[in-house]
Amino acid sequence: MFQHILVPVDGSATANKAADAAATLASEIEAKVTVIHVVHTYPYAGFGAGFAEGQSLYLAAATASANDSIASVRDKMQGKGIAVETRVVESNVVWRGVVETTEAVGADLIVMGTHGRSKIDRLLLGSVTQRVLSHASVPVMVIHGDD
């Protein structure tokens, strides 16, 4: 059975729903959980002398937001007696940050949410969950959101 579950969160209701499912499973099988938030490191498109400052401000704000979304999930899980570790991961490709962290921490299951976008939205925007499913070397449990 699974011993270490990785749960990527982004502060959304869907990610929180996936975290709740992971908590229930972890509680039942006495698995350890690592909760991560991947900060996309290069969405800031500034130029010139202000680029470094803008990038720095963006990363500080993104990291603070990541810590907030992780903290609420961590606190709920710890309240249920689940062993939880947390990480803020920086990556220029979100799905790759999830897959690489899974390998780095030795997780043997990923539990994550999907927003249920239409085929056109997936084509235009891509799907982090779909990419994780395609590239992960461990099983992925996908929890569908309400949207």
Side-chain angles (χ1 to χ4, degrees):
M1 190 49 72
F2 303 111
Q3 298 176 349
H4 190 167
I5 303 170
L6 183 92
V7 183
V9 298
D10 62 5
S12 69
T14 301
N16 290 337
K17 185 177 175 182
D20 290 344
T24 300
L25 178 61
S27 217
E28 290 294 319
I29 63 174
E30 298 179 7
K32 178 171 109 173
V33 175
T34 298
V35 179
I36 68 167
H37 186 294
V38 180
V39 173
H40 187 217
T41 53
Y42 296 108
Y44 181 76
F47 295 101
F51 174 75
E53 182 180 353
Q55 179 74 1
S56 177
L57 290 172
Y58 161 76
L59 285 175
T63 300
S65 176
N67 283 320
D68 288 345
S69 65
I70 286 173
S72 64
V73 171
R74 179 198 62 225
D75 294 348
K76 283 170 76 173
M77 287 188 181
Q78 285 177 337
K80 294 178 180 182
I82 299 167
V84 182
E85 292 182 7
T86 62
R87 290 185 181 204
V88 174
V89 177
E90 291 184 7
S91 179
N92 62 341
V93 181
V94 175
W95 69 262
R96 188 169 286 133
V98 172
V99 171
E100 289 174 353
T101 304
T102 301
E103 294 167 1
V105 302
D108 52 8
L109 175 68
I110 301 169
V111 177
M112 65 188 302
T114 184
H115 295 284
R117 292 189 173 106
S118 69
K119 290 180 183 179
I120 291 175
D121 285 342
R122 278 196 311 268
L123 178 64
L124 296 174
L125 301 172
S127 168
V128 171
T129 304
Q130 184 61 44
R131 297 269 169 80
V132 170
L133 281 164
S134 298
H135 292 90
S137 60
V138 301
V140 180
M141 178 186 291
V142 178
I143 306 300
H144 290 272
D146 296 328
D147 45 0

